[in-house]
Amino acid sequence: MAISNRLLSLVLFSLMVTCAFAEKPKGVTYDGRSMIVNGERELLFSGSIHYPRMPPQMWPDIIRKAKEGGLNLIQTYVFWNIHEPVQGQFNFEGNYDVVKFIKEIARQGLYVTLRIGPYIEAEWNQGGFPYWLREVPNITFRSYNEPFIYHMKKYSEMVIDLMKKEKLFAPQGGPIIMAQIENEYNNVQLAYRDNGKKYVEWAANMATSLYDGVPWIMCKQKDAPPHIINTCNGRHCADTFKGPNGPNKPSLWTENWTAQYRTFGDPPSQRAAEDIAFSVARFFAKNGTLTNYYMYYGGTNYGRTSSSFVTTRYYDEAPLDEFGLFREPKWSHLRDLHRALRLSRRALLWGTPTVQKVNRDIEITIYEKKGTDCAAFLTNNHTTNPATVKFRGKDYYLPEKSVSILPDCKTVVYNTQTIVSQHNSRNFVASEKAKGLKWEKYQEKVPTISELSLKNREPLELYTLTKDTSDYAWYSTSIKFDRHDLPMRPDILPVLQIASMGHALAAFVNGEYIGFGHGNNIEKSFVFQKPVVLKPGTNTISILAETVGFPNSGAYMEKRFAGPRAITIQGLMAGTLDITQNDWGHEVGVFGEKEQLFSEEGAKKVKWTPVTGPTNGAVTWYKTTFEAPEGNNPLAVKMDKMQKGMMWVNGNSLGRYWSSFLSPLGQPTQFEYHIPRAFLKPTDNVLVVFEETGGNPADIEIQTVNRDTICSIITEYHPPNVKSWERSGTNFVAIVEDLKTGAHLTCPDDKIIEKVEFASYGNPDGACGNLIVGTCNSAKSMQVAQEKCLGKNSCTIPIEREIYDEPSKDPCPDIFKTLAVQMKCGNKN
């Protein structure tokens, strides 16, 4: 009997050891509450980061900063047109190496959502479709159309097979836990009628037939098939999303727009950190378990990759700016939100929700698992008025339009409106090592019709002509006039009128530049009109027609057109002359582009002449060299005095610039352009600029970029930092002895605080980089800030009244006090 008991004990012990060390189940499932990854329910905090919008050398740092921001999931598209630019020819090299990118995400311990599209929108050229797809006979994009679905399936299968081959799906031990087919199709579905509905069903079945080991999603697809999760895109999905279209699907938010992409001519686009945090907290309070920030890092549209009129800089207002620097307080305020929600994880994933509507604006949402876990969200929906709410016998102050999170239903650890993390401001500083640029130039020859081999009676359509191989195409014609055809009065000139379907053009008469015209993102067509000097005899009219990216959205994208369509000369003695069908010569691209004057070898093919004074020539190439700037900060090139064109460094395209297109504020939409340090050598870096209409390179400046201006703006009613608490099992405890609010500041990159630029305790106002003293201010504000912070990498400034003023000398004892400080960081030496 004793032996039997001993044997039984050994068996039980063996089973316990086996269970303890058994691998977690691999795979991804879901139900109406959440995603379940490898057997564990998950709260997912995701960010969109696109591999082709930065060089591979930046990938590890950007992903690391996303992880430090509390993300556990990265979302990316797969970009068809970069991977298959020519039918049947594939490219997965350099910053197109999507496999390497996904493996780097996995190396850092994050999951992946793979949006294979193949339509992606993304403000990307032709929505990700390669140009050759447009020329497939009888094709209709994004419809139940035999040519389209054939090529869509073939491409999708290639992507899925690549991921399976590299074992990147979660059931294979990889990081991919979700995949997306199509993109926001409800926006255009009605345009395709029955073929739209059939296409949705076909796309869903095609995707799951290729791989069914992870869930498939369709964003903004309210009629998604039963085996596909429909998800929300927008700014306030807690209020706009009616929920998934099935009881066993979780509530997922696949695009939470952190600002708005910008097109040339747009004013700045902004979205406050407080607004993003408010929307996310409300979504999780309403059974949401995934939010994805679109974009978390936007990056740069290098080369000709952006869609129509979209700027080279992409989502610079994201938590990580274009240069990969923390945009504060957006980055850290969202990091703190993720921590607050994780402290509430057990209640959110296993608790039962109840909602108490206090009044029209105030509501209390409780997630409670009886006897163990409780988390509460106290919400004030009023946009201007704060409120006080009583919850479980205690009063809680709620700022306007805010959510307070109580992971134990008692303690406010986070409020969406009260930012306890630091702020910063971006600075562009002229490089000392890369100053004094010496420029050379080469001017393109304006061609005549006799020099252009491709002839047609009327101007050819621009998209079809260029086939997306260049932004440029020359059009030229010639016409003879007798002196009696031309106006006799010296104060009257003929007018050249060009009606164009977009996007821009530069016009030349007899080789002389006469002007520039363009449309915009809303109205791409335009009419160009300029007085011209014509002569008796043969006159040449040449047009450099330009695209600024292909369209990326809407129905029937394959049926969009661009370029000159009607050309007339007005004011002749016989009236208006229509020269649209006058016989035109055509040529795709400009000479310097074909000869690659931006490359080291190409630059040797022409004779460059020094720029010795003011210059303003159209269709002109400029070249200079510079040393790699000092330090390790990111780099930019300032182009505010140029007009429109393209830039290259050491043969790498920096993208399009367009400084002459002013926003309604009278400023260029963008005039600083990112130069990745990965593009540079220590010395003899070559910067080449192609200027289309006439700018002056003398004022081009190489700059270093930093966020060494740091600030804190904090009130007496701000809660302590969320890092003051942690959860261990069912226990929720403070991990600091003194739970007090204060201003916490840290310099980036081990720098130290070298100067206190502003300090005010009272009622200061403004934003980081532009703080001002209000009507109440403690005289000791600067002294306290200097004592606490100077010479340190990080510091905390308390916000206790007795530190700043004796009670009898308080200049404003009856107001809520605010502390605002601004510091300048610098290197230790």
Side-chain angles (χ1 to χ4, degrees):
M1 187 70 178
I3 295 173
S4 298
N5 288 338
R6 187 180 302 168
L7 180 62
L8 180 60
S9 298
L10 287 171
V11 170
L12 289 172
F13 178 75
S14 176
L15 287 171
M16 289 170 63
V17 170
T18 302
C19 292
F21 290 95
E23 285 189 22
K24 290 183 178 180
K26 292 179 180 178
V28 187
T29 59
Y30 60 86
D31 59 20
R33 175 55 66 89
S34 72
M35 302 291 294
I36 303 169
V37 182
N38 298 330
E40 296 284 342
R41 290 195 180 276
E42 293 282 1
L43 295 179
L44 294 167
F45 305 104
S46 175
S48 288
I49 300 173
H50 297 159
Y51 54 97
R53 284 178 156 137
M54 57 181 151
Q57 293 87 341
M58 290 181 66
W59 294 347
D61 184 58
I62 295 298
I63 295 166
R64 174 183 62 82
K65 289 175 176 175
K67 184 177 181 179
E68 289 175 0
L71 301 194
N72 55 2
L73 176 65
I74 301 297
Q75 183 193 92
T76 187
Y77 287 117
V78 184
F79 298 72
W80 188 356
N81 58 359
I82 64 173
H83 294 307
E84 194 180 6
V86 178
Q87 188 173 359
Q89 297 181 20
F90 297 96
N91 183 1
F92 289 93
E93 302 297 320
N95 66 331
Y96 297 169
D97 191 343
V98 61
V99 168
K100 183 178 178 181
F101 179 68
I102 293 172
K103 287 182 176 180
E104 177 60 31
I105 297 170
R107 188 187 70 81
Q108 297 202 35
L110 283 74
Y111 299 127
V112 173
T113 299
L114 195 70
R115 309 174 86 184
I116 72 166
Y119 169 72
I120 62 172
E121 191 168 358
E123 293 66 62
W124 193 260
N125 204 38
Q126 203 167 235
F129 292 145
Y131 177 80
W132 59 262
L133 192 69
R134 177 184 166 106
E135 296 198 339
V136 171
N138 303 314
I139 198 165
T140 301
F141 292 174
R142 306 178 70 198
S143 176
Y144 193 77
N145 164 267
E146 286 296 334
F148 180 73
I149 64 175
Y150 168 78
H151 288 286
M152 175 173 167
K153 181 179 180 182
K154 187 176 180 182
Y155 167 75
S156 301
E157 191 168 16
M158 182 273 294
V159 173
I160 295 300
D161 285 349
L162 178 62
M163 299 299 122
K164 288 194 291 187
K165 175 187 172 186
E166 298 290 339
K167 294 182 168 43
L168 295 178
F169 286 108
Q172 302 174 293
I176 300 173
I177 62 170
M178 276 186 293
Q180 179 179 307
I181 195 72
E182 247 297 331
N183 191 54
E184 297 188 346
Y185 191 66
N186 271 164
N187 291 347
V188 298
Q189 183 171 335
L190 289 177
Y192 299 100
R193 301 188 179 183
D194 288 344
N195 278 339
K197 186 174 181 179
K198 288 170 66 178
Y199 169 65
V200 170
E201 293 287 343
W202 172 85
N205 292 330
M206 182 271 294
T208 53
S209 73
L210 293 178
Y211 189 72
D212 62 358
V214 298
W216 284 88
I217 61 175
M218 283 183 168
C219 61
K220 294 182 77 170
Q221 192 65 43
K222 60 186 179 183
D223 57 346
H227 54 299
I228 303 292
I229 304 171
N230 61 307
T231 68
C232 183
N233 289 358
R235 290 194 176 207
H236 294 284
C237 282
D239 300 307
T240 61
F241 186 46
K242 294 181 180 179
N245 64 339
N248 296 318
K249 300 179 182 182
S251 290
L252 310 179
W253 187 354
T254 40
E255 288 190 19
N256 183 353
W257 304 324
T258 53
Q260 184 68 30
Y261 70 89
R262 296 170 72 188
T263 63
F264 288 111
D266 282 348
S269 170
Q270 300 183 357
R271 188 181 179 197
E274 297 94 324
D275 185 63
I276 301 173
F278 176 77
S279 68
V280 172
R282 278 183 55 73
F283 186 70
F284 277 73
K286 292 188 173 185
N287 205 39
T289 52
L290 179 153
T291 187
N292 175 75
Y293 302 104
Y294 191 97
M295 300 289 293
Y296 197 79
Y297 169 73
T300 306
N301 293 314
Y302 297 110
R304 302 174 44 258
T305 55
S306 63
S307 62
S308 301
F309 290 91
V310 171
T311 56
T312 301
R313 171 181 291 163
Y314 190 61
Y315 272 88
D316 183 45
E317 290 285 337
L320 298 175
D321 71 12
E322 182 190 15
F323 303 95
L325 301 174
F326 297 119
R327 178 175 289 281
E328 300 285 23
K330 191 172 286 187
W331 180 83
S332 52
H333 193 46
L334 296 178
R335 175 204 61 196
D336 294 347
L337 169 64
H338 305 149
R339 183 175 176 86
L341 290 169
R342 282 195 173 99
L343 289 171
S344 312
R345 176 179 181 272
R346 290 171 59 89
L348 288 175
L349 292 175
W350 286 279
T352 301
T354 58
V355 179
Q356 177 187 348
K357 196 78 174 173
V358 178
N359 56 42
R360 188 177 66 177
D361 299 315
I362 307 298
E363 64 184 31
I364 300 170
T365 304
I366 304 166
Y367 283 81
E368 194 160 17
K369 187 180 180 185
K370 192 171 182 179
T372 55
D373 299 289
C374 182
F377 297 82
L378 312 183
T379 301
N380 179 5
N381 286 304
H382 201 286
T383 57
T384 57
N385 294 339
T388 298
V389 60
K390 185 176 289 292
F391 173 59
R392 297 193 172 181
K394 185 178 177 180
D395 287 337
Y396 293 88
Y397 175 75
L398 292 177
E400 68 281 359
K401 194 186 176 185
S402 74
V403 179
S404 284
I405 300 176
L406 293 67
D408 60 350
C409 286
K410 301 173 186 176
T411 310
V412 175
V413 302
Y414 183 90
N415 179 271
T416 59
Q417 188 67 24
T418 53
I419 295 176
V420 300
S421 54
Q422 73 181 29
H423 303 232
N424 65 23
S425 179
R426 189 165 62 190
N427 307 298
F428 292 87
V429 181
S431 168
E432 287 295 319
K433 289 182 68 175
K435 67 181 181 181
L437 302 177
K438 293 180 172 56
W439 291 93
E440 297 176 294
K441 68 177 181 179
Y442 170 78
Q443 190 153 16
E444 291 265 343
K445 182 180 183 296
V446 178
T448 63
I449 183 173
S450 62
E451 297 167 317
L452 303 179
S453 59
L454 179 58
K455 303 291 198 302
N456 196 63
R457 184 170 179 81
E458 59 188 16
L460 294 170
E461 193 275 320
L462 185 56
Y463 287 152
T464 309
L465 176 61
T466 66
K467 301 188 187 305
D468 198 27
T469 59
S470 172
D471 275 8
Y472 309 110
W474 283 108
Y475 296 71
S476 186
T477 191
S478 63
I479 186 167
K480 288 184 178 180
F481 290 112
D482 185 271
R483 69 181 184 88
H484 298 295
D485 297 324
L486 304 175
M488 306 301 287
R489 287 172 49 180
D491 61 330
I492 296 178
L493 291 174
V495 172
L496 175 65
Q497 177 173 296
I498 305 169
S500 173
M501 296 180 287
H503 298 156
L505 65 83
F508 302 80
V509 173
N510 296 323
E512 296 294 322
Y513 173 69
I514 63 165
F516 175 73
H518 63 87
N520 57 54
N521 185 51
I522 297 172
E523 183 52 70
K524 296 171 178 60
S525 62
F526 63 96
V527 176
F528 171 89
Q529 289 181 310
K530 284 287 182 179
V532 296
V533 176
L534 300 173
K535 62 184 181 181
T538 301
N539 292 263
T540 296
I541 296 172
S542 299
I543 302 167
L544 183 64
E546 307 169 13
T547 61
V548 191
F550 276 51
N552 75 313
S553 61
Y556 301 105
M557 286 199 308
E558 72 284 355
K559 296 177 174 61
R560 311 287 179 82
F561 307 104
R565 62 177 178 83
I567 305 158
T568 60
I569 301 174
Q570 302 169 340
L572 299 171
M573 295 303 289
T576 296
L577 179 64
D578 188 338
I579 59 172
T580 307
Q581 298 188 353
N582 195 56
D583 292 330
W584 290 81
H586 306 78
E587 186 173 79
V588 176
V590 294
F591 171 81
E593 187 180 31
K594 295 174 184 175
E595 298 298 324
Q596 297 189 345
L597 300 190
F598 48 81
S599 69
E600 185 176 354
E601 290 302 313
K604 299 174 183 176
K605 296 179 181 179
V606 299
K607 183 178 181 181
W608 298 82
T609 59
V611 176
T612 55
T615 180
N616 202 33
V619 289
T620 302
W621 293 81
Y622 296 100
K623 177 169 73 76
T624 190
T625 59
F626 64 96
E627 287 189 49
E630 60 279 5
N632 297 311
N633 285 337
L635 306 176
V637 56
K638 183 182 178 185
M639 301 289 290
D640 58 328
K641 296 301 189 293
M642 300 301 283
Q643 300 292 309
K644 181 180 182 293
M646 301 190 79
M647 309 154 290
W648 295 261
V649 166
N650 295 332
N652 300 287
S653 175
L654 302 181
R656 304 179 178 102
Y657 70 88
W658 196 348
S659 302
S660 61
F661 197 162
L662 303 183
S663 78
L665 303 179
Q667 296 291 325
T669 302
Q670 179 182 354
F671 60 83
E672 301 112 344
Y673 293 83
H674 184 202
I675 304 176
R677 281 195 179 264
F679 288 179
L680 298 189
K681 305 176 292 184
T683 60
D684 299 321
N685 296 286
V686 180
L687 171 62
V688 175
V689 175
F690 177 56
E691 171 58 53
E692 299 164 13
T693 66
N696 189 349
D699 294 314
I700 292 177
E701 185 176 85
I702 307 296
Q703 302 173 321
T704 62
V705 188
N706 68 65
R707 286 187 176 269
D708 291 345
T709 301
I710 61 174
C711 305
S712 181
I713 306 165
I714 198 161
T715 71
E716 292 176 304
Y717 60 79
H718 278 52
N721 193 288
V722 68
K723 291 186 289 186
S724 304
W725 294 272
E726 70 176 21
R727 185 177 285 282
S728 177
T730 59
N731 296 318
F732 176 76
V733 294
I735 56 175
V736 296
E737 292 183 6
D738 194 6
L739 283 172
K740 292 182 179 179
T741 190
H744 306 280
L745 297 121
T746 302
C747 285
D749 304 322
D750 296 322
K751 296 176 183 178
I752 61 168
I753 296 167
E754 63 180 24
K755 184 180 180 181
V756 179
E757 297 180 322
F758 180 92
S760 176
Y761 180 67
N763 61 350
D765 202 359
C768 193
N770 191 32
L771 292 167
I772 57 174
V773 175
T775 57
C776 172
N777 177 54
S778 169
K780 291 181 67 177
S781 301
M782 182 64 73
Q783 177 188 336
V784 172
Q786 290 173 336
E787 289 175 354
K788 297 291 183 181
C789 295
L790 279 180
K792 299 178 181 179
N793 169 255
S794 62
C795 65
T796 297
I797 308 173
I799 193 167
E800 299 164 27
R801 293 191 176 213
E802 57 270 21
I803 293 176
Y804 296 90
D805 299 291
E806 296 177 20
S808 61
K809 297 180 180 179
D810 191 332
C812 40
D814 299 326
I815 68 168
F816 271 127
K817 296 289 185 70
T818 296
L819 172 65
V821 293
Q822 178 172 310
M823 315 281 185
K824 181 183 178 184
C825 299
N827 294 318
K828 290 180 181 179
N829 58 1

